[in-house]
Amino acid sequence: MDLYMMNCELLATCSALGYLEGGTYHKEPDCLESVKDLIRYLRHEDDTRDVRQQLGAAQILQSDLLPILTQHRQDKPLFDAVIRLMVNLTQPALLCFGSVPKDPSVRHHFLQVLTYLQAYKEAFASEKAFGVLSETLYELLQLGWEDRQEEDNLLIERILLLVRNILHVPANPEQEKRIDDDASVHDRLLWAIHLSGMDDLLLFLSSSSAEQQWSLHVLEIVSLMFRDQNPEQLAGVGQGRLAQERSTDVAELEVLRQREMAEKRARALQRGNRHSRFGGSYIVQGLKSIGERDVVFHKGLHNLQNYSSDLGKQPRRVPKRRQAAQELSVHRRSVLNVRLFLRDFCSEFLENCYNPLMGAVKDHLLRERAQQHDETYYMWAMAFFMAFNRAAAFRPSFVSETLSVRTFHFVEQNLTNYYEMMLTDRKEAASWARRMHLALKAYQELLATVNEMDACPDEAVRESSRIIKNNIFYMMEYRELFLALFRKFDERYHPRSFLRDLVETTHLFLKMLERFCRNRGNLMVQNKRKKRKKKKKVQDQGVAFSHSPEELEALWPALEEQLLQCAQDPELSVDTIVPFDAASEVPVEEQRVEAMVKIQDCLRTGQAPQALALLRSAREVWPEGNVFGSPVISPGEEMQLLKQILSAPLPRQQEPVEGDAEEEEEEEEEEELQVVQVSEKEFSFLDYLKRFACSTIVRAYALLLRSYRQNSAHTNHCITKMLHRLAHDLGMEALLFQLSLFCLFNQLLSDPAAAAYKELVTFAKYIIGKFFALAAVNQKAFVELLFWKNTAVVREMTQGYGSLDSGSSSHRAPAWSPEEEAQLQELYLAHKDVEGQDVVETILAHLKVVPRTRKQVINHLVRMGLADSVKDFQRKGTQIVLWTEDQELELQRLFEEFRDSDDVLGRIMKNITAKRSRARVVDKLLALGLVSERRQLYKKRRKKPAPSCTNGAESQKDSWQDDPEEEEHLSEGESEDEESEDGLSAGQVQGGSSLSAKNLGQSLRQEGLSAPLLWLQSSLIRAANDREEDGCSQAIPLVPLTEENEEAMENEQFQHLLRKLGIRPPSSGQETFWRIPAKLSSTQLRKVAASLSQRENEEEREEEPEPNPGQQRPREQSPREQSPREQSPREQSPREQSPREQSPREQSPREQSPREQHRAGALRALLSARKRKAGLVSAEEAAPGEEDWKSVPKKRQLLDSDEEDDNEGDRQAAVSGTPRIHKKKRIQIEDDDEDD
């Protein structure tokens, strides 16, 4: 249905409602159905809210709905339908659009809806409409819970929502043009509520325990009633003008009079208008112009004081995202009768309703039965009514529900949550800042009420105040709250009123805390400290025990004699020796290495009895694998084991160096675990005050001080008091030596009404006097005026530059001398290329003058430019477990037993006696020469037999469906250690996908999907051409335009082909089509497309003759005869097999490229070397393979291999028969569809 037809139906529906004749409304017979139709139309309106706008323009609510509501109340179905329609029509514009639109066209619709809502609010400002609502609500509330039906509860809720919606409509001050003490639309609405008796019903709902389900609705209505009111002013209504108010007004009038007198004096000094315009020109000495000369002033001397270099300049435009936040809440003084009504309402609400209502709302919030952000109404009510109670007649019992430590905690948690969300949710930062301001106001009123309780004559009230203050001053979170708020203050999101409330709340908190500390001799408070605990990492050698092998050999004879005597001593007991730490976080099973280190330490320090006792005790604790010897070990074997432990390079934990401030400041290499330690300490008020001595907080105070003319006297006093605490009490006057502050002081001192700011003027003169006293001693103080300063700079300014370094030299690492830097450079250049050793540990062993840590050496190497980054010196894991001879034999036996299984490593890990990590077992297998590379230990796949010519497609499909998971990684630790070695290169991944794509493409062609494959190939080629032309790439969707292509895209086997090719599936809920990823280059796309057309090429190859029988081939073996390292690539999983690893049996010589011929030759040479080692073939039989390897040009070898040195090593290994670990630098390509 288009917009025109919709307008016609709306007009017809509205015409069927009825008509107003005189003062009587005559409804049509179809009035009820027409109201229901309007509700239905509103439910299906578009994003511009067109139905709502058309009904508002036709004034349906004013001309039809309100007369029906007031005159046809007895028709209950019609009355209920009209209430439903009114609730929908008066829904706030923010709820209709979600937020204030930024698009100009949508914002126009938003403002139009808001205009209609303001017209609705004015129409409701009558006693008649609210009288009908009040009578209906009163009748419903008279029903007991057993007589009240579900429809009655719905009608109660809709009436409350309607009142809420009407009160929520914002005022339009430009249209109303009302001043204070004049009746606005909101005031007339409140007066109508009062005359209709709706306020009494709200008080009943607030105080009744049987109506707690409406507590949140009532609280929201009450908050909207008082949103423009000031609680302090409202409390003083009807009591005459107080002496404080009169004195405030007199002071403001005096300020205005002084400024007016100053302006009159300035005008009297000016010359008359009849004076000649040729008054002369003057040179202003000391003020430079654009060049090197002084400024020439062409006006009279009386205008010199208004001279500025900024005159005539275009003001710099501030971007919208950097503009200061605007004030949203505006307080106005309502008409007197409305204020009297609101004052009486507040008094009765506090006496009878506040405690039960706030308790019910708090229960709803804690049980999560409220809507999101409903806690803001709770905190508003707390701030408003506690302030009213404090200003009227202070009665702590009236607000006892919210006067507890739990309320402090609730507000503090929400305040912290709001500013954290403001930092994370940048789009809604302004909304979070407003909620943050509400929480701050509630916290301020809580502190003010507790402070007021101290002056109460009742001893019980004062004792309650003391208990609350003792709790909030004890907890660290409440003391750190204001520091965090000042640091997180952002002028873009927080208005100036937030900063004012924050300054006043901080002043009140510090005053209460200072008084509390003064009355108490010593105050113990909670202290939480986050201790940075370094994750234990191992190193190749202990720094503390760096003995040479010669020293250990010389030490052993004396130790052996002592050990033999101890072994024969029957009194040697192991019951009192515990080789593990029961309180450690490390499990007992994993503390064997630490026990071995303890034994070694005892041996090297000459404590032979302790070493022997530790060894025997560890043997009883860890008997598995005979790591500490067998239970029936002989004394000779025991001595031999201790000798091996003495000289073994065991890993040691690196002890942190205390007092190394430089190490703490630098970026940590090790992972840090933060442990919160809670303790108690004696509180010092001055130490706490020092936390406020930072430039961020001083800058916030200076920002608020700029508007000293608009600030209240109390606000200016709070600013002056805090700055005086920092300058005088802490002796940090230099913290305020800043040019912007001095300009503000100059403006203050030259203000004609400066007498009204005596406190500020006195403080400004004090700071300026301190500055010139310092400038007489330190000439650099004038330059320091340009910068905000911290406490360290303040100390240097006042005590002399360099005093900071001399005073804290004991906490910093000693500086590097030129001799030490030269020695460091020489050692680094000498040992950086030596393989098998840690260059940093070698440097530490030779640096004997000043003890250095590993961190200090690495950081200084980076500073000197000898290294690029700290990451260049990261240490890798070390072999930390000793293998006995029996364990090595057991490992060899298990490998020979399970070498033909699909999961060699998994079987070994299940059956090995001494339980070790997978990474350690793999490293030992490589060290023993049982495998030549880690790939041979991967879990293998089982492949189905080759498909026959009749059922080839079915076999291909079954093999695809029965594919197991990808091969397992050896372990997490091994994958981390070998990440740079075990990744797949881009070429191998591309080749593997091409091989799989060829097989899947054959199967799909046999199923009749040749046309979709051709469409896919052309799409890939087109995408490659586009990326070559444009030079940039982005994800391209594959949109099937034919029915055949759509069916293919839904085929599971076709989708599997897409994943193999690297095409990304649509993300859930956001995308519809498969997409060609942006990371695939044009070359890769062409290779993928070429892999789809390999079927025709293979058919041509099948017609070619058989390869030359004289071609050199390796001896064929059955799968049973082949070892895992001798298996052909055909029996490996597709992920393990790359195109250059295909067996020579799979391709004829004519089909093999030079790269494949080179690879085949290398495989034959390696296979011959292994057979020769096993005694299967002679050296002469292996010669042809070696010749084939050498026949490949060296340039071809270099292109096919990762490094030339590795190929040379492979050839040497192939000739000598020695297995060699082949390491390659590979790049792992992360696929988006890896999980699929």
Side-chain angles (χ1 to χ4, degrees):
M1 183 181 299
D2 58 9
L3 187 61
Y4 179 75
M5 293 298 295
M6 187 67 178
N7 289 333
C8 292
E9 292 189 3
L10 273 177
L11 290 174
T13 305
C14 295
S15 301
L17 290 174
Y19 60 93
L20 185 65
E21 184 177 4
T24 305
Y25 188 86
H26 302 276
K27 65 175 183 177
E28 296 289 345
D30 297 334
C31 182
L32 177 60
E33 298 300 327
S34 300
V35 172
K36 292 181 179 180
D37 289 340
L38 291 177
I39 296 174
R40 191 178 302 111
Y41 292 149
L42 285 172
R43 190 182 299 122
H44 297 91
E45 62 182 352
D46 58 8
D47 294 337
T48 62
R49 310 302 178 202
D50 54 342
V51 178
R52 195 175 304 268
Q53 292 187 51
Q54 294 175 37
L55 293 179
Q59 297 184 356
I60 295 299
L61 188 140
Q62 296 93 319
S63 59
D64 292 281
L65 298 183
L66 274 177
I68 293 175
L69 182 74
T70 56
Q71 299 181 20
H72 298 277
R73 176 172 168 263
Q74 67 279 1
D75 191 351
K76 193 174 185 306
L78 180 61
F79 183 82
D80 293 347
V82 169
I83 291 293
R84 286 180 57 194
L85 181 58
M86 283 184 171
V87 170
N88 199 338
L89 279 177
T90 58
Q91 188 177 11
L94 285 174
L95 293 181
C96 295
F97 291 87
S99 61
V100 179
K102 297 182 179 179
D103 186 20
S105 60
V106 184
R107 190 180 180 87
H108 169 71
H109 297 297
F110 174 84
L111 296 176
Q112 195 67 34
V113 171
L114 190 60
T115 304
Y116 296 140
L117 288 175
Q118 291 168 352
Y120 297 158
K121 183 175 182 178
E122 188 173 1
F124 262 96
S126 65
E127 180 186 355
K128 186 182 296 186
F130 272 99
V132 173
L133 295 177
S134 300
E135 291 177 7
T136 306
L137 185 60
Y138 175 76
E139 293 176 359
L140 293 174
L141 293 177
Q142 287 292 104
L143 300 175
W145 65 270
E146 64 277 358
D147 299 329
R148 193 180 298 175
Q149 303 297 324
E150 184 65 27
E151 293 80 4
D152 299 331
N153 288 328
L154 286 176
L155 186 56
I156 293 174
E157 186 176 8
R158 286 167 183 160
I159 292 176
L160 294 177
L161 287 176
L162 179 60
V163 177
R164 189 277 312 265
N165 291 346
I166 295 300
L167 288 171
H168 188 275
V169 177
N172 189 359
E174 296 180 356
Q175 183 178 359
E176 294 184 19
K177 297 180 180 178
R178 302 290 183 177
I179 61 175
D180 287 347
D181 297 323
D182 194 4
S184 64
V185 175
H186 193 75
D187 292 341
R188 289 191 282 128
L189 192 67
L190 292 178
W191 190 246
I193 290 176
H194 173 59
L195 294 179
S196 64
M198 180 68 72
D199 55 338
D200 296 329
L201 295 176
L202 294 176
L203 291 173
F204 170 75
L205 289 173
S206 303
S207 59
S208 175
S209 59
E211 308 293 344
Q212 289 187 356
Q213 55 181 328
W214 318 116
S215 56
L216 282 170
H217 294 294
V218 173
L219 185 61
E220 190 174 359
I221 291 173
V222 172
S223 67
L224 293 172
M225 289 172 59
F226 292 92
R227 65 180 178 186
D228 295 336
Q229 305 299 323
N230 189 316
E232 287 84 0
Q233 294 179 359
L234 202 61
V237 173
Q239 300 177 1
R241 291 175 55 83
L242 300 177
Q244 184 180 1
E245 293 182 358
R246 286 196 296 269
S247 61
T248 303
D249 292 343
V250 169
E252 292 179 357
L253 288 174
E254 182 64 22
V255 169
L256 295 176
R257 191 183 69 85
Q258 290 178 1
R259 287 177 181 161
E260 185 179 4
M261 295 294 294
E263 291 178 359
K264 287 182 179 179
R265 289 193 299 268
R267 286 196 300 267
L269 293 176
Q270 293 181 359
R271 299 182 181 182
N273 295 330
R274 296 180 59 188
H275 185 270
S276 172
R277 69 177 60 240
F278 302 102
S281 299
Y282 305 92
I283 295 177
V284 183
Q285 293 183 357
L287 185 61
K288 299 294 183 183
S289 61
I290 299 177
E292 293 298 327
R293 297 181 180 181
D294 293 333
V295 171
V296 178
F297 190 68
H298 297 284
K299 295 183 180 181
L301 291 177
H302 59 279
N303 292 323
L304 181 60
Q305 60 180 359
N306 297 326
Y307 173 77
S308 174
S309 301
D310 296 330
L311 293 176
K313 292 183 179 179
Q314 185 72 19
R316 185 176 182 181
R317 179 181 174 272
V318 180
K320 189 175 181 180
R321 64 178 183 274
R322 295 183 182 177
Q323 293 178 0
Q326 300 295 325
E327 297 286 348
L328 296 179
S329 60
V330 179
H331 294 289
R332 64 175 302 273
R333 195 164 56 240
S334 301
V335 68
L336 180 59
N337 57 350
V338 174
R339 283 186 288 154
L340 289 172
F341 149 63
L342 293 178
R343 184 203 62 184
D344 297 338
F345 183 88
C346 283
S347 300
E348 193 171 353
F349 184 85
L350 275 173
E351 186 175 356
N352 302 315
C353 308
Y354 180 82
N355 288 332
L357 179 65
M358 298 298 281
V361 171
K362 182 71 173 294
D363 183 68
H364 286 320
L365 293 175
L366 294 180
R367 297 178 183 273
E368 297 182 354
R369 291 186 296 185
Q371 295 182 359
Q372 192 177 15
H373 308 313
D374 275 348
E375 72 276 358
T376 55
Y377 297 107
Y378 177 81
M379 287 183 287
W380 174 89
M382 188 190 311
F384 186 88
F385 288 106
M386 292 182 79
F388 182 87
N389 180 48
R390 186 170 47 85
F394 182 65
R395 299 282 296 275
S397 58
F398 287 174
V399 292
S400 59
E401 176 63 33
T402 56
L403 202 57
S404 62
V405 179
R406 289 180 299 175
T407 308
F408 273 95
H409 177 71
F410 177 79
V411 176
E412 186 268 337
Q413 288 294 316
N414 281 280
L415 189 56
T416 305
N417 179 52
Y418 290 155
Y419 80 72
E420 288 178 354
M421 290 302 300
M422 189 189 69
L423 297 178
T424 55
D425 190 5
R426 287 296 184 181
K427 292 184 179 180
E428 298 295 331
S431 301
W432 290 111
R434 288 194 294 270
R435 300 184 187 107
M436 189 175 169
H437 193 184
L438 278 175
L440 179 62
K441 288 288 292 183
Y443 197 84
Q444 180 183 10
E445 285 306 323
L446 283 172
L447 288 175
T449 304
V450 172
N451 185 50
E452 193 75 20
M453 291 169 65
D454 289 339
C456 188
D458 191 357
E459 178 64 27
V461 175
R462 295 199 301 271
E463 181 64 19
S464 300
S465 171
R466 188 191 63 81
I467 294 174
I468 293 176
K469 288 191 295 184
N470 198 11
N471 281 276
I472 62 175
F473 293 153
Y474 176 79
M475 299 298 294
M476 184 178 179
E477 289 80 6
Y478 301 116
R479 302 193 307 271
E480 298 292 325
L481 179 63
F482 299 102
L483 294 167
L485 291 179
F486 271 114
R487 294 192 184 102
K488 304 300 181 183
F489 174 75
D490 194 340
E491 193 179 2
R492 298 173 298 172
Y493 306 117
H494 295 119
R496 197 65 58 89
S497 58
F498 174 85
L499 183 58
R500 182 185 66 247
D501 291 332
L502 179 58
V503 168
E504 293 179 357
T505 310
T506 306
H507 170 77
L508 177 60
F509 184 81
L510 289 177
K511 184 175 68 173
M512 295 171 59
L513 182 58
E514 185 179 19
R515 188 188 309 125
F516 192 78
C517 294
R518 190 184 303 117
N519 297 334
R520 299 278 296 269
N522 55 343
L523 176 63
M524 301 301 295
V525 296
Q526 186 187 66
N527 181 36
K528 291 183 180 180
R529 183 177 61 181
K530 290 183 179 180
K531 181 181 179 181
R532 293 185 173 182
K533 182 179 178 182
K534 292 183 180 178
K535 190 176 180 181
K536 297 179 180 179
K537 298 190 78 174
V538 295
Q539 54 184 2
D540 297 334
Q541 277 187 335
V543 180
F545 301 94
S546 56
H547 295 80
S548 62
E550 293 79 9
E551 296 176 352
L552 296 176
E553 287 292 337
L555 183 63
W556 173 247
L559 283 174
E560 186 178 14
E561 184 178 354
Q562 296 181 21
L563 290 171
L564 289 174
Q565 294 178 1
C566 295
Q568 298 173 1
D569 187 4
E571 297 182 357
L572 183 65
S573 175
V574 298
D575 297 337
T576 59
I577 303 296
V578 180
F580 60 88
D581 185 5
S584 175
E585 298 178 357
V586 182
V588 177
E589 292 76 10
E590 300 179 9
Q591 295 189 30
R592 288 183 294 182
V593 179
E594 286 80 357
M596 193 80 71
V597 173
K598 291 180 181 179
I599 297 173
Q600 188 183 69
D601 293 345
C602 292
L603 290 174
R604 294 186 177 184
T605 55
Q607 301 176 5
Q610 289 82 350
L612 186 58
L614 271 175
L615 178 65
R616 294 179 178 179
S617 179
R619 188 183 305 150
E620 296 178 1
V621 176
W622 297 290
E624 302 89 359
N626 298 331
V627 177
F628 296 94
S630 62
V632 293
I633 189 172
S634 62
E637 294 177 348
E638 198 171 38
M639 295 301 108
Q640 191 66 25
L641 179 59
L642 287 171
K643 184 177 181 180
Q644 293 179 3
I645 294 175
L646 176 66
S647 58
L650 296 178
R652 295 180 178 273
Q653 299 175 5
Q654 184 176 4
E655 297 294 334
V657 180
E658 297 183 357
D660 190 359
E662 180 182 356
E663 180 179 356
E664 294 179 358
E665 294 174 359
E666 296 294 338
E667 182 180 1
E668 294 288 342
E669 284 182 7
E670 296 86 354
E671 180 183 357
E672 294 179 351
L673 303 177
Q674 291 187 348
V675 180
V676 178
Q677 292 184 344
V678 181
S679 60
E680 285 189 348
K681 68 174 184 178
E682 186 174 354
F683 180 75
S684 174
F685 182 75
L686 287 180
D687 291 342
Y688 176 69
L689 195 60
K690 290 178 182 178
R691 304 283 303 279
F692 290 88
C694 63
S695 60
T696 306
I697 297 179
V698 176
R699 197 177 306 173
Y701 274 87
L703 178 63
L704 186 59
L705 188 59
R706 293 179 189 173
S707 57
Y708 70 93
R709 294 183 178 179
Q710 290 78 28
N711 295 339
S712 64
H714 178 65
T715 303
N716 288 332
H717 168 72
C718 295
I719 299 172
T720 310
K721 183 62 178 177
M722 172 57 81
L723 298 180
H724 182 266
R725 288 180 188 273
L726 299 178
H728 182 267
D729 298 351
L730 298 181
M732 295 185 181
E733 300 90 352
L735 193 66
L736 306 179
F737 294 167
Q738 218 281 333
L739 194 57
S740 60
L741 264 177
F742 278 25
C743 292
L744 188 58
F745 289 160
N746 181 43
Q747 180 184 352
L748 175 65
L749 295 175
S750 59
D751 193 337
Y757 313 105
K758 294 180 180 179
E759 195 176 24
L760 277 174
V761 170
T762 305
F763 179 74
K765 292 179 178 179
Y766 169 76
I767 294 297
I768 295 174
K770 289 290 184 179
F771 170 75
F772 285 107
L774 178 63
V777 181
N778 183 10
Q779 295 294 329
K780 296 180 181 178
F782 294 99
V783 181
E784 297 284 1
L785 277 176
L786 302 175
F787 309 100
W788 292 100
K789 292 162 280 296
N790 54 20
T791 54
V793 178
V794 167
R795 178 180 173 183
E796 286 194 329
M797 284 180 61
T798 55
Q799 299 182 8
Y801 295 98
S803 60
L804 183 64
D805 296 334
S806 61
S808 60
S809 60
S810 60
H811 300 284
R812 291 195 173 187
W816 290 79
S817 63
E819 295 78 8
E820 288 179 324
E821 290 185 347
Q823 183 185 9
L824 179 64
Q825 182 176 2
E826 180 181 356
L827 291 173
Y828 177 74
L829 295 177
H831 298 280
K832 69 174 184 177
D833 296 328
V834 179
E835 297 182 358
Q837 72 174 7
D838 191 349
V839 60
V840 180
E841 296 297 339
T842 306
I843 294 174
L844 288 173
H846 290 81
L847 288 177
K848 302 296 184 182
V849 180
V850 179
R852 302 285 182 181
T853 63
R854 178 183 180 88
K855 179 79 67 176
Q856 293 172 358
V857 172
I858 293 175
N859 291 332
H860 206 68
L861 286 173
V862 174
R863 289 195 191 100
M864 294 175 63
L866 298 176
D868 296 332
S869 174
V870 177
K871 297 180 180 180
D872 297 342
F873 301 97
Q874 290 182 351
R875 295 172 297 184
K876 296 187 177 181
T878 56
Q879 309 293 331
I880 63 172
V881 182
L882 293 176
W883 288 79
T884 62
E885 185 177 356
D886 295 338
Q887 293 171 356
E888 292 180 355
L889 294 176
E890 180 190 14
L891 182 62
Q892 293 179 4
R893 177 181 59 80
L894 292 174
F895 177 77
E896 295 295 337
E897 180 180 353
F898 301 113
R899 66 187 305 170
D900 296 331
S901 63
D902 294 335
D903 188 6
V904 182
L905 185 60
R907 296 291 184 88
I908 292 176
M909 294 300 298
K910 291 180 181 179
N911 295 274
I912 195 169
T913 304
K915 300 300 181 183
R916 305 174 190 272
S917 65
R918 298 170 70 92
R920 303 286 79 79
V921 174
V922 171
D923 293 338
K924 195 63 180 178
L925 289 173
L926 292 170
L928 294 175
L930 299 177
V931 293
S932 60
E933 55 185 0
R934 298 172 185 268
R935 183 184 299 276
Q936 299 176 2
L937 297 175
Y938 287 169
K939 186 175 181 180
K940 302 175 182 61
R941 300 187 180 198
R942 293 181 179 273
K943 299 293 287 185
K944 287 185 177 290
S948 60
C949 58
T950 58
N951 57 352
E954 288 77 1
S955 300
Q956 285 284 348
K957 185 173 182 179
D958 294 340
S959 64
W960 163 71
Q961 292 177 348
D962 296 337
D963 270 350
E965 298 287 337
E966 300 291 342
E967 63 269 11
E968 298 178 350
H969 294 290
L970 298 180
S971 68
E972 293 183 2
E974 182 181 357
S975 64
E976 292 176 359
D977 293 341
E978 303 295 335
E979 184 178 357
S980 61
E981 300 176 5
D982 294 342
L984 293 176
S985 65
Q988 289 174 323
V989 172
Q990 190 66 38
S993 63
S994 300
L995 183 62
S996 303
K998 181 183 70 174
N999 298 332
L1000 289 173
Q1002 293 177 1
S1003 177
L1004 291 172
R1005 286 189 180 92
Q1006 293 176 2
E1007 292 183 3
L1009 297 178
S1010 300
L1013 288 175
L1014 183 60
W1015 164 72
L1016 176 60
Q1017 183 182 7
S1018 62
S1019 299
L1020 294 172
I1021 295 176
R1022 194 182 309 113
N1025 296 334
D1026 294 341
R1027 293 183 179 180
E1028 286 181 353
E1029 294 175 0
D1030 300 340
C1032 60
S1033 59
Q1034 58 182 355
I1036 302 175
L1038 289 175
V1039 183
L1041 300 179
T1042 63
E1043 184 177 356
E1044 185 178 8
N1045 292 343
E1046 289 183 0
E1047 294 177 355
M1049 294 297 289
E1050 297 176 358
N1051 190 318
E1052 294 183 0
Q1053 193 171 358
F1054 194 84
Q1055 292 179 357
H1056 187 65
L1057 172 64
L1058 296 176
R1059 292 190 180 93
K1060 287 292 183 181
L1061 297 179
I1063 299 176
R1064 180 168 58 84
S1067 60
S1068 59
Q1070 296 181 355
E1071 297 176 351
T1072 306
F1073 304 106
W1074 290 66
R1075 295 176 183 271
I1076 302 175
K1079 64 183 180 182
L1080 294 179
S1081 62
S1082 59
T1083 306
Q1084 292 175 332
L1085 289 176
R1086 295 187 188 278
K1087 289 183 179 180
V1088 170
S1091 66
L1092 297 176
S1093 60
Q1094 289 182 356
R1095 182 172 180 270
E1096 291 78 2
N1097 298 336
E1098 290 178 359
E1099 292 177 355
E1100 295 176 1
R1101 292 171 185 170
E1102 290 177 358
E1103 297 176 359
E1104 295 179 358
E1106 292 294 328
N1108 188 6
Q1111 177 72 24
Q1112 186 69 25
R1113 295 172 183 246
R1115 185 175 67 91
E1116 296 184 0
Q1117 292 178 326
S1118 64
R1120 292 283 184 182
E1121 297 174 345
Q1122 288 179 337
S1123 64
R1125 57 184 174 181
E1126 294 174 354
Q1127 275 186 324
S1128 65
R1130 192 175 189 81
E1131 297 175 352
Q1132 298 176 4
S1133 61
R1135 300 271 302 189
E1136 299 179 52
Q1137 182 179 2
S1138 62
R1140 60 183 180 184
E1141 293 175 345
Q1142 295 179 10
S1143 173
R1145 291 176 294 177
E1146 295 181 10
Q1147 296 178 348
S1148 63
R1150 186 177 302 176
E1151 296 171 351
Q1152 291 179 347
S1153 63
R1155 179 183 181 87
E1156 295 166 345
Q1157 294 176 5
H1158 156 68
R1159 184 64 177 173
L1163 288 173
R1164 288 196 296 272
L1166 182 60
L1167 186 61
S1168 300
R1170 291 173 178 170
K1171 291 179 180 179
R1172 185 170 64 252
K1173 179 180 179 181
L1176 298 178
V1177 296
S1178 61
E1180 290 78 4
E1181 295 176 353
E1186 183 179 353
E1187 292 176 359
D1188 292 340
W1189 173 271
K1190 294 181 179 180
S1191 62
V1192 181
K1194 185 173 182 180
K1195 181 177 181 181
R1196 177 72 256 174
Q1197 296 174 14
L1198 182 60
L1199 291 175
D1200 286 347
S1201 61
D1202 292 295
E1203 292 186 8
E1204 185 179 0
D1205 297 339
D1206 291 346
N1207 290 335
E1208 295 293 338
D1210 285 341
R1211 291 198 293 272
Q1212 294 176 6
V1215 175
S1216 62
T1218 304
R1220 182 179 183 273
I1221 303 175
H1222 185 64
K1223 298 183 178 180
K1224 296 182 179 180
K1225 295 181 179 179
R1226 299 171 180 172
I1227 304 173
Q1228 187 173 0
I1229 298 178
E1230 296 181 359
D1231 194 356
D1232 294 340
D1233 305 327
E1234 188 174 359
D1235 297 333
D1236 295 333

